[in-house]
Amino acid sequence: MKLVGIVGSNAEFSYNRILLNFIAKNFKKLVDVEVLDIKDVPMFNQSDDQTNSEVIQNLNNKIMQADGVIIATPEYNHSITSALQSVLEWLSFKIHPLDEKPVMIVGASYDVQGSSRSQLHLRQILDAPGVNAIVMPGNEFLLGEVYDAFDEDENLKDAQTAQFLETCIKKFIRFINVVKVIHAPEGMQDVSDTEDLYATGAIDTTVEGIDMSADDWLEQAAEATQAVEGNTYVKLNRGLLTVNQLNHFLNSMPAELTYADSNNQFLYYNHNMEKEDMLAGRRPEQVGSPLAECHPERVFSGVSWVIQQLRTGKQDVVRTQVPTHGPDKFVVHSYQAVRDDEDNYIGINEYVQDIQPIIDWYLEQTGQQLTGGGVDAVSGATSKVDTVAGATVKS
Amino acid sequence: MKKFLSILGTNSDYSTNRILLQFIQKHFADQADIEIFEIKHLPAFNKPEDKTAPQEVQKLADKIREADGVIISSPEYNHSVPAILKSTLEWLSYTNQALIDKPVMLTGASYGRLGSSRAQSHLRQMLDAPELKARIMPSSEFLIGYSLQAFDDNGTLKDQQKIEELEQIFNDFIHFVDITNQLVNANETHQKQAANFSWETN
């Protein structure tokens, strides 16, 4: 993952530059951070457009290519510096490299405030429509009394503070990934026309001449194909079972199984429960229906997207968690591509499971416990931070 | 008659805030002598080690000191004030601290409906910083939205209600200047405190 760190000051000596260098050096196993200076950026003037100058274009390109941006801001007069303000004005005038870019704010200051007010201003500025960055909420890293914060090797002296900074960086990495999901073009566009959800075509195995929507499609299709059943043997790779054995075997699977073919026709589910008792309800008369008739129209785009992922081979399995079953269950829908010996996509195996019992069993067997990820939002920098206003008594 | 210095908060060649200040200058000519100061020639603030103000900055500081009050008119860039205005305030706070205890009135105009409301709110917070410590007139928001359509060809505000609103605020400001100066004279410790303020050690 590639980040750029922007030094929010044009001063020759800046603790915020030292802070960003520390981040780049100390967390290089986690992220690749390139520290950028803004001291050569001219003062913004809308009547003297210098968007195409080398220094602004350089910032523009570096930001565009980065997965995220860390801005380190000092505090001047309860706000950010005019130098940083000017940069943000250039980057929101004719060009908009920060548009929808994940941004993390850190800051260092000489006083106890640790840039608290300027960070709030910066959030509001980054939220302006011309800038439109996506700023990570919370995780406020304020480094007060900064003249005493670093040792001679420019490392943070206080281990707790460094630990808190690491937590913030790790969260930012996760935040960037979340933002990527939100902005995946597939998630934004209506892609429902990429799949024939009404199964209007036919493949080699399609049983033609029978109304797919008919409640007794299965009975009609079985008759038309002279399908075997009951105690007739079926030869499989690798084994021999009767149809009854096969049915009971599939019904004993610890998941709800559904098969839809590459023509988007719903052909099978392991029917061992009534619809109301299932995690993802199915009715016997639905078998044979095109997928369009098994889903409400508002999800057509999502369904098509999933099928496209599998059909085109972008993914072999797409998983999604459905949180509507309450806190005692963790229900996962997995859409697994079914491929033949030549690796051609021939359909979907959707299996729906509550994996909570498996996790509980694992924890019980290994004597482990789930924790919140070791994150302590109030530790670290707080020893140097005064979030209560009124520190101005010193002045 | 009062003597006010008005500061235009932008370096742009065309600015409806400039038109607004020119209107104020003209409209209240019988009540106050108002000079309009352009900050576009000021260098960008860069925290120089010797802490001396460049000539242009010193000129502004002198004018502020001579004035009974200051009027700042700012557009809104990115929910805040333009960098050039911020830079000007940084110079003043870092070098001569000319705004300390100076009565200040804020106005603002913007092309959109909101009329620079967020910029004014940021500006208030900045002027309240210990390094600036201006005396901002409270409860006196004057905002002009849709500023491109707000003035006629002579630079007069078209909306009579807006003019009355401005007259009221301006009258308040004249009183506010008197009251503030009484208060300030009674308590000179502010100046001493602020003079001792250091960016590096505070």
Side-chain angles (χ1 to χ4, degrees), chain A residues 4 9 14 27 43 47 54 63 93 107 123 127 175 186 188 206 224 231 233 255 283 287-288 308 317 347 363 382 389:
Chain A
V4 295
S9 159
S14 161
F27 306 122
M43 173 60 71
S47 306
E54 198 183 322
I63 292 170
F93 183 47
R123 280 180 184 278
D127 206 28
F175 181 74
E186 293 88 347
M188 306 292 284
T206 303
N231 288 319
Y233 288 94
R283 282 177 284 112
V287 169
Q308 278 287 303
V317 59
L363 294 174
T382 46

PDB file of all heavy atoms in Angstrom, chain A residues 4 9 14 27 43 47 54 63 93 107 123 127 175 186 188 206 224 231 233 255 283 287-288 308 317 347 363 382 389:
ATOM      1  N   VAL A   4       1.027   8.927   0.704  1.00  0.00           N
ATOM      2  CA  VAL A   4       1.872  10.114   0.762  1.00  0.00           C
ATOM      3  C   VAL A   4       1.561  10.852   2.073  1.00  0.00           C
ATOM      4  O   VAL A   4       0.422  10.892   2.526  1.00  0.00           O
ATOM      5  CB  VAL A   4       1.703  11.070  -0.437  1.00  0.00           C
ATOM      6  CG1 VAL A   4       2.149  10.412  -1.718  1.00  0.00           C
ATOM      7  CG2 VAL A   4       0.289  11.571  -0.566  1.00  0.00           C
ATOM      8  N   SER A   9       3.277  22.398   6.875  1.00  0.00           N
ATOM      9  CA  SER A   9       3.948  23.654   7.212  1.00  0.00           C
ATOM     10  C   SER A   9       5.031  23.923   6.176  1.00  0.00           C
ATOM     11  O   SER A   9       5.598  23.000   5.604  1.00  0.00           O
ATOM     12  CB  SER A   9       4.578  23.522   8.604  1.00  0.00           C
ATOM     13  OG  SER A   9       5.609  24.477   8.772  1.00  0.00           O
ATOM     14  N   SER A  14      10.370  21.737  11.030  1.00  0.00           N
ATOM     15  CA  SER A  14       8.996  21.424  11.397  1.00  0.00           C
ATOM     16  C   SER A  14       8.932  20.077  12.103  1.00  0.00           C
ATOM     17  O   SER A  14       9.415  19.060  11.587  1.00  0.00           O
ATOM     18  CB  SER A  14       8.120  21.390  10.144  1.00  0.00           C
ATOM     19  OG  SER A  14       6.932  20.679  10.411  1.00  0.00           O
ATOM     20  N   PHE A  27       6.932   2.455  10.356  1.00  0.00           N
ATOM     21  CA  PHE A  27       5.869   1.548   9.925  1.00  0.00           C
ATOM     22  C   PHE A  27       6.082   1.074   8.496  1.00  0.00           C
ATOM     23  O   PHE A  27       5.123   0.771   7.787  1.00  0.00           O
ATOM     24  CB  PHE A  27       4.497   2.223  10.084  1.00  0.00           C
ATOM     25  CG  PHE A  27       4.247   2.741  11.467  1.00  0.00           C
ATOM     26  CD1 PHE A  27       3.972   4.072  11.701  1.00  0.00           C
ATOM     27  CD2 PHE A  27       4.307   1.878  12.558  1.00  0.00           C
ATOM     28  CE1 PHE A  27       3.760   4.553  12.981  1.00  0.00           C
ATOM     29  CE2 PHE A  27       4.098   2.344  13.845  1.00  0.00           C
ATOM     30  CZ  PHE A  27       3.824   3.684  14.061  1.00  0.00           C
ATOM     31  N   MET A  43       1.607  30.942  -3.167  1.00  0.00           N
ATOM     32  CA  MET A  43       0.346  31.351  -2.558  1.00  0.00           C
ATOM     33  C   MET A  43      -0.775  31.277  -3.590  1.00  0.00           C
ATOM     34  O   MET A  43      -0.621  31.741  -4.719  1.00  0.00           O
ATOM     35  CB  MET A  43       0.485  32.781  -2.021  1.00  0.00           C
ATOM     36  CG  MET A  43      -0.802  33.415  -1.508  1.00  0.00           C
ATOM     37  SD  MET A  43      -1.568  32.518  -0.146  1.00  0.00           S
ATOM     38  CE  MET A  43      -0.411  32.863   1.192  1.00  0.00           C
ATOM     39  N   SER A  47      -6.699  34.565  -9.586  1.00  0.00           N
ATOM     40  CA  SER A  47      -6.457  35.392 -10.767  1.00  0.00           C
ATOM     41  C   SER A  47      -5.105  35.096 -11.406  1.00  0.00           C
ATOM     42  O   SER A  47      -4.745  35.703 -12.408  1.00  0.00           O
ATOM     43  CB  SER A  47      -6.504  36.861 -10.378  1.00  0.00           C
ATOM     44  OG  SER A  47      -7.706  37.144  -9.722  1.00  0.00           O
ATOM     45  N   GLU A  54       5.165  22.963 -12.035  1.00  0.00           N
ATOM     46  CA  GLU A  54       5.738  21.653 -11.751  1.00  0.00           C
ATOM     47  C   GLU A  54       5.426  21.208 -10.316  1.00  0.00           C
ATOM     48  O   GLU A  54       5.067  20.047 -10.072  1.00  0.00           O
ATOM     49  CB  GLU A  54       7.245  21.732 -11.975  1.00  0.00           C
ATOM     50  CG  GLU A  54       7.886  20.378 -12.130  1.00  0.00           C
ATOM     51  CD  GLU A  54       9.395  20.500 -12.266  1.00  0.00           C
ATOM     52  OE1 GLU A  54       9.848  21.453 -12.917  1.00  0.00           O
ATOM     53  OE2 GLU A  54      10.100  19.641 -11.708  1.00  0.00           O
ATOM     54  N   ILE A  63      -0.416  12.358  -5.259  1.00  0.00           N
ATOM     55  CA  ILE A  63      -1.651  12.091  -4.514  1.00  0.00           C
ATOM     56  C   ILE A  63      -2.562  11.162  -5.313  1.00  0.00           C
ATOM     57  O   ILE A  63      -3.128  10.204  -4.783  1.00  0.00           O
ATOM     58  CB  ILE A  63      -2.378  13.405  -4.161  1.00  0.00           C
ATOM     59  CG1 ILE A  63      -1.560  14.200  -3.144  1.00  0.00           C
ATOM     60  CG2 ILE A  63      -3.771  13.136  -3.607  1.00  0.00           C
ATOM     61  CD1 ILE A  63      -2.061  15.610  -2.903  1.00  0.00           C
ATOM     62  N   PHE A  93      -9.140  23.768  -7.005  1.00  0.00           N
ATOM     63  CA  PHE A  93      -9.504  24.850  -7.937  1.00  0.00           C
ATOM     64  C   PHE A  93      -9.760  24.266  -9.332  1.00  0.00           C
ATOM     65  O   PHE A  93     -10.918  24.106  -9.735  1.00  0.00           O
ATOM     66  CB  PHE A  93      -8.353  25.875  -7.932  1.00  0.00           C
ATOM     67  CG  PHE A  93      -8.575  27.100  -8.776  1.00  0.00           C
ATOM     68  CD1 PHE A  93      -9.762  27.808  -8.723  1.00  0.00           C
ATOM     69  CD2 PHE A  93      -7.571  27.559  -9.618  1.00  0.00           C
ATOM     70  CE1 PHE A  93      -9.954  28.949  -9.502  1.00  0.00           C
ATOM     71  CE2 PHE A  93      -7.752  28.696 -10.391  1.00  0.00           C
ATOM     72  CZ  PHE A  93      -8.946  29.383 -10.337  1.00  0.00           C
ATOM     73  N   GLY A 107      -1.134  15.513  13.947  1.00  0.00           N
ATOM     74  CA  GLY A 107      -0.636  16.869  14.159  1.00  0.00           C
ATOM     75  C   GLY A 107       0.207  16.983  15.404  1.00  0.00           C
ATOM     76  O   GLY A 107       0.001  16.261  16.379  1.00  0.00           O
ATOM     77  N   ARG A 123     -10.514  19.098   9.114  1.00  0.00           N
ATOM     78  CA  ARG A 123     -11.608  18.178   8.763  1.00  0.00           C
ATOM     79  C   ARG A 123     -12.703  18.903   7.975  1.00  0.00           C
ATOM     80  O   ARG A 123     -13.214  18.396   6.982  1.00  0.00           O
ATOM     81  CB  ARG A 123     -12.252  17.598  10.026  1.00  0.00           C
ATOM     82  CG  ARG A 123     -11.487  16.478  10.624  1.00  0.00           C
ATOM     83  CD  ARG A 123     -12.132  15.910  11.879  1.00  0.00           C
ATOM     84  NE  ARG A 123     -11.223  14.914  12.391  1.00  0.00           N
ATOM     85  CZ  ARG A 123     -11.164  13.664  11.928  1.00  0.00           C
ATOM     86  NH1 ARG A 123     -12.033  13.255  11.040  1.00  0.00           N
ATOM     87  NH2 ARG A 123     -10.276  12.818  12.379  1.00  0.00           N
ATOM     88  N   ASP A 127     -13.677  18.469   3.944  1.00  0.00           N
ATOM     89  CA  ASP A 127     -15.046  18.047   3.657  1.00  0.00           C
ATOM     90  C   ASP A 127     -15.747  18.982   2.664  1.00  0.00           C
ATOM     91  O   ASP A 127     -16.852  18.695   2.214  1.00  0.00           O
ATOM     92  CB  ASP A 127     -15.828  18.023   4.980  1.00  0.00           C
ATOM     93  CG  ASP A 127     -16.982  17.053   4.931  1.00  0.00           C
ATOM     94  OD1 ASP A 127     -16.882  16.067   4.182  1.00  0.00           O
ATOM     95  OD2 ASP A 127     -17.985  17.285   5.618  1.00  0.00           O
ATOM     96  N   PHE A 175      -9.262   1.349   6.874  1.00  0.00           N
ATOM     97  CA  PHE A 175     -10.194   2.373   6.376  1.00  0.00           C
ATOM     98  C   PHE A 175     -10.053   2.535   4.863  1.00  0.00           C
ATOM     99  O   PHE A 175     -11.042   2.633   4.139  1.00  0.00           O
ATOM    100  CB  PHE A 175      -9.905   3.694   7.102  1.00  0.00           C
ATOM    101  CG  PHE A 175     -10.791   4.841   6.709  1.00  0.00           C
ATOM    102  CD1 PHE A 175     -12.101   4.901   7.120  1.00  0.00           C
ATOM    103  CD2 PHE A 175     -10.298   5.872   5.916  1.00  0.00           C
ATOM    104  CE1 PHE A 175     -12.916   5.966   6.766  1.00  0.00           C
ATOM    105  CE2 PHE A 175     -11.101   6.936   5.558  1.00  0.00           C
ATOM    106  CZ  PHE A 175     -12.416   6.979   5.988  1.00  0.00           C
ATOM    107  N   GLU A 186     -18.319  -1.433  -9.602  1.00  0.00           N
ATOM    108  CA  GLU A 186     -19.393  -2.414  -9.714  1.00  0.00           C
ATOM    109  C   GLU A 186     -20.475  -2.147  -8.679  1.00  0.00           C
ATOM    110  O   GLU A 186     -21.638  -2.430  -8.893  1.00  0.00           O
ATOM    111  CB  GLU A 186     -18.861  -3.843  -9.529  1.00  0.00           C
ATOM    112  CG  GLU A 186     -17.939  -4.295 -10.635  1.00  0.00           C
ATOM    113  CD  GLU A 186     -16.486  -3.921 -10.358  1.00  0.00           C
ATOM    114  OE1 GLU A 186     -16.247  -3.104  -9.441  1.00  0.00           O
ATOM    115  OE2 GLU A 186     -15.609  -4.426 -11.060  1.00  0.00           O
ATOM    116  N   MET A 188     -21.354   0.711  -7.589  1.00  0.00           N
ATOM    117  CA  MET A 188     -22.043   1.972  -7.800  1.00  0.00           C
ATOM    118  C   MET A 188     -22.996   1.916  -8.995  1.00  0.00           C
ATOM    119  O   MET A 188     -24.012   2.557  -9.020  1.00  0.00           O
ATOM    120  CB  MET A 188     -21.040   3.094  -8.050  1.00  0.00           C
ATOM    121  CG  MET A 188     -19.990   3.238  -6.984  1.00  0.00           C
ATOM    122  SD  MET A 188     -20.681   3.796  -5.441  1.00  0.00           S
ATOM    123  CE  MET A 188     -20.926   5.530  -5.837  1.00  0.00           C
ATOM    124  N   THR A 206     -30.328 -27.516 -20.628  1.00  0.00           N
ATOM    125  CA  THR A 206     -31.648 -26.915 -20.412  1.00  0.00           C
ATOM    126  C   THR A 206     -32.749 -27.844 -20.931  1.00  0.00           C
ATOM    127  O   THR A 206     -32.646 -28.360 -22.039  1.00  0.00           O
ATOM    128  CB  THR A 206     -31.742 -25.563 -21.140  1.00  0.00           C
ATOM    129  OG1 THR A 206     -30.694 -24.719 -20.668  1.00  0.00           O
ATOM    130  CG2 THR A 206     -33.085 -24.892 -20.896  1.00  0.00           C
ATOM    131  N   ALA A 224     -40.117 -35.431 -18.767  1.00  0.00           N
ATOM    132  CA  ALA A 224     -39.592 -35.188 -20.110  1.00  0.00           C
ATOM    133  C   ALA A 224     -38.206 -35.799 -20.303  1.00  0.00           C
ATOM    134  O   ALA A 224     -37.846 -36.234 -21.396  1.00  0.00           O
ATOM    135  CB  ALA A 224     -39.542 -33.685 -20.384  1.00  0.00           C
ATOM    136  N   ASN A 231     -34.487 -45.829  -5.752  1.00  0.00           N
ATOM    137  CA  ASN A 231     -33.366 -46.719  -5.473  1.00  0.00           C
ATOM    138  C   ASN A 231     -32.520 -47.040  -6.697  1.00  0.00           C
ATOM    139  O   ASN A 231     -31.717 -47.969  -6.679  1.00  0.00           O
ATOM    140  CB  ASN A 231     -33.878 -48.007  -4.830  1.00  0.00           C
ATOM    141  CG  ASN A 231     -34.330 -47.734  -3.397  1.00  0.00           C
ATOM    142  OD1 ASN A 231     -33.662 -46.986  -2.674  1.00  0.00           O
ATOM    143  ND2 ASN A 231     -35.469 -48.290  -2.996  1.00  0.00           N
ATOM    144  N   TYR A 233     -29.505 -46.672  -9.153  1.00  0.00           N
ATOM    145  CA  TYR A 233     -28.104 -46.300  -8.890  1.00  0.00           C
ATOM    146  C   TYR A 233     -27.619 -45.224  -9.850  1.00  0.00           C
ATOM    147  O   TYR A 233     -27.972 -45.216 -11.018  1.00  0.00           O
ATOM    148  CB  TYR A 233     -27.191 -47.544  -9.000  1.00  0.00           C
ATOM    149  CG  TYR A 233     -27.372 -48.483  -7.839  1.00  0.00           C
ATOM    150  CD1 TYR A 233     -28.267 -49.560  -7.919  1.00  0.00           C
ATOM    151  CD2 TYR A 233     -26.646 -48.297  -6.663  1.00  0.00           C
ATOM    152  CE1 TYR A 233     -28.439 -50.416  -6.854  1.00  0.00           C
ATOM    153  CE2 TYR A 233     -26.818 -49.161  -5.588  1.00  0.00           C
ATOM    154  CZ  TYR A 233     -27.716 -50.220  -5.693  1.00  0.00           C
ATOM    155  OH  TYR A 233     -27.893 -51.050  -4.637  1.00  0.00           O
ATOM    156  N   ALA A 255     -25.224 -27.079   5.641  1.00  0.00           N
ATOM    157  CA  ALA A 255     -25.429 -25.807   4.944  1.00  0.00           C
ATOM    158  C   ALA A 255     -26.626 -25.951   4.026  1.00  0.00           C
ATOM    159  O   ALA A 255     -26.997 -27.060   3.656  1.00  0.00           O
ATOM    160  CB  ALA A 255     -24.197 -25.440   4.120  1.00  0.00           C
ATOM    161  N   ARG A 283     -38.769 -22.221  -1.637  1.00  0.00           N
ATOM    162  CA  ARG A 283     -40.000 -23.001  -1.689  1.00  0.00           C
ATOM    163  C   ARG A 283     -39.865 -24.052  -2.781  1.00  0.00           C
ATOM    164  O   ARG A 283     -39.242 -23.787  -3.822  1.00  0.00           O
ATOM    165  CB  ARG A 283     -41.193 -22.095  -1.990  1.00  0.00           C
ATOM    166  CG  ARG A 283     -41.672 -21.288  -0.773  1.00  0.00           C
ATOM    167  CD  ARG A 283     -42.807 -20.343  -1.106  1.00  0.00           C
ATOM    168  NE  ARG A 283     -42.322 -19.156  -1.827  1.00  0.00           N
ATOM    169  CZ  ARG A 283     -42.607 -18.905  -3.094  1.00  0.00           C
ATOM    170  NH1 ARG A 283     -43.370 -19.728  -3.791  1.00  0.00           N
ATOM    171  NH2 ARG A 283     -42.116 -17.815  -3.682  1.00  0.00           N
ATOM    172  N   VAL A 287     -38.280 -24.250  -7.722  1.00  0.00           N
ATOM    173  CA  VAL A 287     -37.283 -24.981  -8.499  1.00  0.00           C
ATOM    174  C   VAL A 287     -37.639 -24.916  -9.985  1.00  0.00           C
ATOM    175  O   VAL A 287     -38.801 -25.111 -10.362  1.00  0.00           O
ATOM    176  CB  VAL A 287     -37.189 -26.445  -8.014  1.00  0.00           C
ATOM    177  CG1 VAL A 287     -36.356 -27.280  -8.984  1.00  0.00           C
ATOM    178  CG2 VAL A 287     -36.590 -26.500  -6.624  1.00  0.00           C
ATOM    179  N   GLY A 288     -36.640 -24.620 -10.791  1.00  0.00           N
ATOM    180  CA  GLY A 288     -36.858 -24.487 -12.234  1.00  0.00           C
ATOM    181  C   GLY A 288     -36.985 -23.046 -12.687  1.00  0.00           C
ATOM    182  O   GLY A 288     -36.838 -22.744 -13.871  1.00  0.00           O
ATOM    183  N   GLN A 308     -21.251 -12.388 -12.531  1.00  0.00           N
ATOM    184  CA  GLN A 308     -20.168 -11.955 -13.424  1.00  0.00           C
ATOM    185  C   GLN A 308     -18.793 -12.249 -12.824  1.00  0.00           C
ATOM    186  O   GLN A 308     -17.880 -12.652 -13.544  1.00  0.00           O
ATOM    187  CB  GLN A 308     -20.301 -10.450 -13.712  1.00  0.00           C
ATOM    188  CG  GLN A 308     -21.290 -10.132 -14.800  1.00  0.00           C
ATOM    189  CD  GLN A 308     -20.762 -10.504 -16.185  1.00  0.00           C
ATOM    190  OE1 GLN A 308     -19.716 -10.055 -16.604  1.00  0.00           O
ATOM    191  NE2 GLN A 308     -21.497 -11.367 -16.871  1.00  0.00           N
ATOM    192  N   VAL A 317     -15.064 -17.468  -5.504  1.00  0.00           N
ATOM    193  CA  VAL A 317     -16.132 -17.467  -4.507  1.00  0.00           C
ATOM    194  C   VAL A 317     -16.358 -16.033  -4.028  1.00  0.00           C
ATOM    195  O   VAL A 317     -15.407 -15.279  -3.836  1.00  0.00           O
ATOM    196  CB  VAL A 317     -15.809 -18.416  -3.325  1.00  0.00           C
ATOM    197  CG1 VAL A 317     -14.517 -18.029  -2.632  1.00  0.00           C
ATOM    198  CG2 VAL A 317     -16.949 -18.464  -2.320  1.00  0.00           C
ATOM    199  N   GLY A 347     -22.104 -23.065 -13.470  1.00  0.00           N
ATOM    200  CA  GLY A 347     -23.172 -22.691 -12.547  1.00  0.00           C
ATOM    201  C   GLY A 347     -22.642 -22.234 -11.199  1.00  0.00           C
ATOM    202  O   GLY A 347     -21.436 -22.079 -11.009  1.00  0.00           O
ATOM    203  N   LEU A 363     -13.095 -21.923  19.580  1.00  0.00           N
ATOM    204  CA  LEU A 363     -12.591 -21.167  20.738  1.00  0.00           C
ATOM    205  C   LEU A 363     -12.574 -22.044  21.987  1.00  0.00           C
ATOM    206  O   LEU A 363     -11.627 -22.017  22.779  1.00  0.00           O
ATOM    207  CB  LEU A 363     -13.452 -19.923  20.973  1.00  0.00           C
ATOM    208  CG  LEU A 363     -13.390 -18.857  19.868  1.00  0.00           C
ATOM    209  CD1 LEU A 363     -14.387 -17.747  20.150  1.00  0.00           C
ATOM    210  CD2 LEU A 363     -11.974 -18.279  19.744  1.00  0.00           C
ATOM    211  N   THR A 382      -2.727  10.367  24.875  1.00  0.00           N
ATOM    212  CA  THR A 382      -3.504  11.112  25.860  1.00  0.00           C
ATOM    213  C   THR A 382      -2.649  11.673  26.985  1.00  0.00           C
ATOM    214  O   THR A 382      -3.008  12.664  27.597  1.00  0.00           O
ATOM    215  CB  THR A 382      -4.596  10.227  26.476  1.00  0.00           C
ATOM    216  OG1 THR A 382      -3.998   8.992  26.816  1.00  0.00           O
ATOM    217  CG2 THR A 382      -5.741  10.035  25.549  1.00  0.00           C
ATOM    218  N   ALA A 389     -10.694  22.496  26.576  1.00  0.00           N
ATOM    219  CA  ALA A 389     -10.265  23.833  26.174  1.00  0.00           C
ATOM    220  C   ALA A 389      -9.809  24.604  27.401  1.00  0.00           C
ATOM    221  O   ALA A 389     -10.002  24.182  28.521  1.00  0.00           O
ATOM    222  CB  ALA A 389     -11.410  24.563  25.501  1.00  0.00           C
TER     223      ALA A 389
END
